[in-house]
């Protein structure tokens, strides 16, 4: 009876005499080659005597333990033996000895003594451990019919390092990589499909839907009541507007009883259309065009109409109360008696050649609206506008939007010394300062150095109130005055004269005309002798102190420079009277003459 057969059940099978492999590397190579030879059917394995080859390999592998002293190599060799013992049981006609555990032979006495010290601190070889673990994982995947989980991410990258050491690992890595490529391809196709869908939506579907909405508006143009249909189409256009260029809604189109408050369109073109009882309150229609459009009984209250064109429009019974009309153009427009601009922001709006109904109530329709910041008025219109009540315009939306964001948040950053403070004072002055409650008391004549020496530096954000305009102006002047005394400072003469112009303008509105005239005469006009605005304000300052000869001299020079006063007509109205006013009105009408009303204006116009 053989030694193996005589082993009792459950005890490890002893190692029979067999030639050991020369080293662990040779053992591992033979292990890989044997695995390739065993990749056959059970019938082939029986015919080719594979089982006996496996038994012989196990005996030699076990005997190799005599030559292995490194713990990591012994552990790897034992794992290989156990692998083949497991495989042997799956081959045809197993023998009774195949069910016994085979143990690696003990190392020789010499190796055992040499390796004893190493064994105390030895750690398992990570690479060998990973190969065995990955090989076991690969076999499980193979035995499951290649339906188990595949490797991804770092696990796949790590396994790829050992693919050449084991055939099953190679197949598992290859299958995992192929699956990832398939996922990548599907993801790429999905991404391309998604991008294509977005592009089709943006450049095909949205333009198509927008065009259909415009066609729907034009089809209803001749109906007596088309408000709801047009409203729905306009809302649809507003929905697509961020993705579309400005819409062309011009031509012979009737917009009747359309209620679309809050509508948002970018630069829509409503030229030559007809608006009847249209409600666009609070809408955002910046850069729109209503040129040659007839607008009747409509509501633009609180709407953003900045940079909007109303050239030669015929407007009646319509309200622009609290609307943003910054740089809006009403040139040659026909404006009926019941059009309301109360509280509107008219900064840099243009009314050149606009015709107002003879019965137009300027005093109420321009209440709390800074008409003096607009342009294009003739002398008759200015005279009428001066009657408008402006006591509450400091609470208007236009004043709030212009002054507070620009200076409380200090967006007007100084590009040059004192620029922020000067800009604040200038803005407050051009909007117009409240008149002093009582005539100012005569103040002692102080030099600029004396004024600046007693001032404490203040940030512009702390001066953003009309009553503090003079503080802001003096702060700007003092900043430059201090710099001017520095040896390294650049030539600030022109800068200082410009700041002094602002300061004198504020003093003039504050009732301190003597100080203002002195500054204009000695500090401003000698330097800013080509600035028509500064010369005009100097003329008013000298008119205020009854120095009429010098006032007319400054006015003449201002006219020669073709300066047309605007904000000064409101802010300095207390000083512009009599013959001096007449001379100024003649100057205005020379450059902005009254024009005959357009043919489409109905009734008496002026």
């Amino acid at each position: 009876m053989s030694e193996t057969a005589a082993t009792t059940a459950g005890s490890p099978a002893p190692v029979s005499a067999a030639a050991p492999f020369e080293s662990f590397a040779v053992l591992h190579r033979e292990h890989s080659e044997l695995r390739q030879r065993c990749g056959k059917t059970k019938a082939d394995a029986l015919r080719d005597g594979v089982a006996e080859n496996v038994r012989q390999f196990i005996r030699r592998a076990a005997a190799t333990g005599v030559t292995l002293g490194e713990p990591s190599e012994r552990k790897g060799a034992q794992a290989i033996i156990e692998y083949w013992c497991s495989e042997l049981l799956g081959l045809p006609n197993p023998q009774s000895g195949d069910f016994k555990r085979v143990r690696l032979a003990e190392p020789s006495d010499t190796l055992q003594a040499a390796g004893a010290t190493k064994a105390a601190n030895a750690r398992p070889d990570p690479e060998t451990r990973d190969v065995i673990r990955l090989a076991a994982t690969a076999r499980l995947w193979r035995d499951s019919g290649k339906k188990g989980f595949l490797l991804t991410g770092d696990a796949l990258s790590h396994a790829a390092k050992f693919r050449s050491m084991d055939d099953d690992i190679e197949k598992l890595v290859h299958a995992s990589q192929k699956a990832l490529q398939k996922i990548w391809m599907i993801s790429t196709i999905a991404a391309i499909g998604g991008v294509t869908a977005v592009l089709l939506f943006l450049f095909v579907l949205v333009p198509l839907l927008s065009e259909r909405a415009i066609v729907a508006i034009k089809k209803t143009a001749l109906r007596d009541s088309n408000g709801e249909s047009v409203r729905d189409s306009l809302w649809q256009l507003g929905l697509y507007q961020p993705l579309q260029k400005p819409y062309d809604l011009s031509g012979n189109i009737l917009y009747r009883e359309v209620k679309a408050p809050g509508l948002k369109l970018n630069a829509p073109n409503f030229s030559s259309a007809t608006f009847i009882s249209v409600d666009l309150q609070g809408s955002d229609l910046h850069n729109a065009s209503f040129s040659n459009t007839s607008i009747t009984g409509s509501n633009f209250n609180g709407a953003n109409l900045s940079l909007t064109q109303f050239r030669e429009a015929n407007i009646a019974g319509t309200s622009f109360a609290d609307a943003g009309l910054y740089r809006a153009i009403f040139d040659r427009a026909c404006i009926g008696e019941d059009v309301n601009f109360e509280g509107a922001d008219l900064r840099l709006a243009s009314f050149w050649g606009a015709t107002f109904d003879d019965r137009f109530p300027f005093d109420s329709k321009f209440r709390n609206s800074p008409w003096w910041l607009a342009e294009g008025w003739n002398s008759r219109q200015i005279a009428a506008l001066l009657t408008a009540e402006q006591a509450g315009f400091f609470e208007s939306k236009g004043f709030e939007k212009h002054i507070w964001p620009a200076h409380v948040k200090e967006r007007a950053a100084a590009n040059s010394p004192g620029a922020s403070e000067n800009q604040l004072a200038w803005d407050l002055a051009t909007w117009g300062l409240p008149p002093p409650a009582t005539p100012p008391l005569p103040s002692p004549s102080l030099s600029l150095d004396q004024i600046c020496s007693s001032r404490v530096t203040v940030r512009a954000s702390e001066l953003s109130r009309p009553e503090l305009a003079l503080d802001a102006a003096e702060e700007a002047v003092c900043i430059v005055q201090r710099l001017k005394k520095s040896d390294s400072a650049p030539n600030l003469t022109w800068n200082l004269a410009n700041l002094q112009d602002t300061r004198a303008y504020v003093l003039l509105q504050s009732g301190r005309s003597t100080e203002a005239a002195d500054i204009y005469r000695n500090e401003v006009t000698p330097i800013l002798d080509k600035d028509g605005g500064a010369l005009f304000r100097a003329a008013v300052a000298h008119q205020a102190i009854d120095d009429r000869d010098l006032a007319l001299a400054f006015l003449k020079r201002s006219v020669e420079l073709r300066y047309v006063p605007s904000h000064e007509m409101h802010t300095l109205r207390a000083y512009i009277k009599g013959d001096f006013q007449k001379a100024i009105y003649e100057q205005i009408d020379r450059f902005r003459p009254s024009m005959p009303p357009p043919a489409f204006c109905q009734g008496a116009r002026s």
Side-chain angles (χ1 to χ4, degrees), residues 1 23 46 162 188 314 335 361 445 454 465 497 510 562 582 599:
M1 181 179 294
S23 65
L46 182 62
F162 307 106
T188 302
N314 193 354
I335 300 174
S445 179
S454 61
R465 298 199 306 274
S510 303
R562 304 180 66 83
K582 182 179 179 181

Side-chain angles (χ1 to χ4, degrees), residues 81-414:
I81 292 172
E82 291 178 357
Y83 167 81
W84 284 111
C85 288
S86 176
E87 288 289 317
L88 188 60
L89 295 177
L91 295 177
N93 302 325
Q95 299 178 5
S96 59
D98 296 339
F99 293 92
K100 307 300 181 179
R101 181 186 177 194
V102 178
R103 188 175 59 191
L104 188 69
E106 294 296 328
S108 64
D109 294 341
T110 303
L111 288 175
Q112 199 167 15
T117 303
K118 293 183 179 180
N121 298 318
R123 297 181 180 178
D125 180 9
E127 184 171 307
T128 302
R129 180 184 61 201
D130 289 347
V131 170
I132 295 171
R133 178 176 56 81
L134 288 170
T137 301
R139 288 197 301 276
L140 289 174
W141 170 76
R142 181 198 64 189
D143 294 342
S144 68
K146 300 182 179 180
K147 296 180 181 180
F149 291 106
L150 296 174
L151 303 176
T152 60
D154 294 340
L156 177 58
S157 301
H158 184 67
K161 300 176 183 178
F162 307 106
R163 63 192 307 171
S164 62
M165 301 177 66
D166 188 281
D167 187 55
D168 285 339
I169 295 177
E170 162 63 27
K171 292 177 180 178
L172 176 60
V173 169
H174 177 74
S176 299
Q177 291 176 337
K178 190 173 181 180
L180 283 179
Q181 290 175 353
K182 184 177 180 180
I183 293 173
W184 179 86
M185 184 176 297
I186 293 173
S187 301
T188 302
I189 293 173
I192 293 173
V195 171
T196 302
V198 171
L199 293 177
L200 287 173
F201 176 77
L202 292 177
F203 297 105
V204 178
L205 183 59
V206 169
L208 179 62
L209 294 174
S210 299
E211 186 60 31
R212 288 181 61 183
I214 294 173
V215 170
I217 291 174
K218 293 182 178 180
K219 281 185 177 181
T220 58
L222 300 179
R223 298 180 186 175
D224 291 337
S225 179
N226 64 351
E228 292 185 2
S229 175
V230 173
R231 177 202 61 195
D232 294 342
S233 296
L234 287 174
W235 279 119
Q236 187 176 0
L237 293 177
L239 179 65
Y240 302 141
Q241 181 65 93
L243 307 174
Q244 286 291 89
K245 63 183 181 181
Y247 298 119
D248 184 2
L249 301 166
S250 62
N252 186 24
I253 301 176
L254 173 63
Y255 298 87
R256 181 193 295 275
E257 297 181 359
V258 178
K259 299 185 183 302
L263 179 67
K264 293 184 179 181
L265 295 177
N266 177 29
N269 184 6
F270 292 107
S271 299
S272 302
T274 300
F275 278 60
I276 300 176
S277 300
V278 175
D279 183 4
L280 292 172
Q281 181 176 0
S283 296
D284 186 353
L285 303 174
H286 62 281
N287 294 85
S289 176
F290 291 90
S291 297
N292 299 108
T293 297
S294 176
I295 305 174
T296 305
S298 296
N299 182 359
F300 291 94
N301 290 348
N304 177 14
L305 298 170
S306 58
L307 301 167
T308 294
Q309 300 276 347
F310 291 93
R311 294 179 187 272
E312 299 189 354
N314 193 354
I315 308 173
T318 296
S319 178
F320 295 96
D322 295 320
L325 294 171
Y326 172 72
R327 287 190 179 274
I329 306 297
F330 289 87
D331 294 351
R332 299 284 292 162
C334 186
I335 300 174
E337 64 174 311
D338 45 3
V339 176
N340 186 19
F341 291 95
E342 185 175 357
D345 179 8
L346 296 176
R347 288 175 297 128
L348 298 179
S350 176
F351 288 83
W352 181 85
T355 301
F356 288 82
D357 190 286
D358 282 342
R359 296 163 295 182
F360 187 89
F362 285 90
D363 58 338
S364 61
K365 298 302 184 182
F366 278 91
R367 181 186 293 115
N368 297 326
S369 179
W371 59 265
W372 56 93
L373 299 180
E375 301 175 346
W377 306 113
N378 59 42
S379 63
R380 293 181 61 188
Q381 293 166 344
I382 291 175
L385 287 164
L386 285 170
T387 65
E389 174 62 44
Q390 303 295 342
F393 90 91
F394 286 113
E395 288 76 39
S396 67
K397 292 183 179 179
F399 182 80
E400 181 181 347
K401 288 180 180 178
H402 180 65
I403 295 295
W404 297 110
H407 301 292
V408 173
K409 298 179 181 178
E410 299 198 38
R411 287 188 350 209

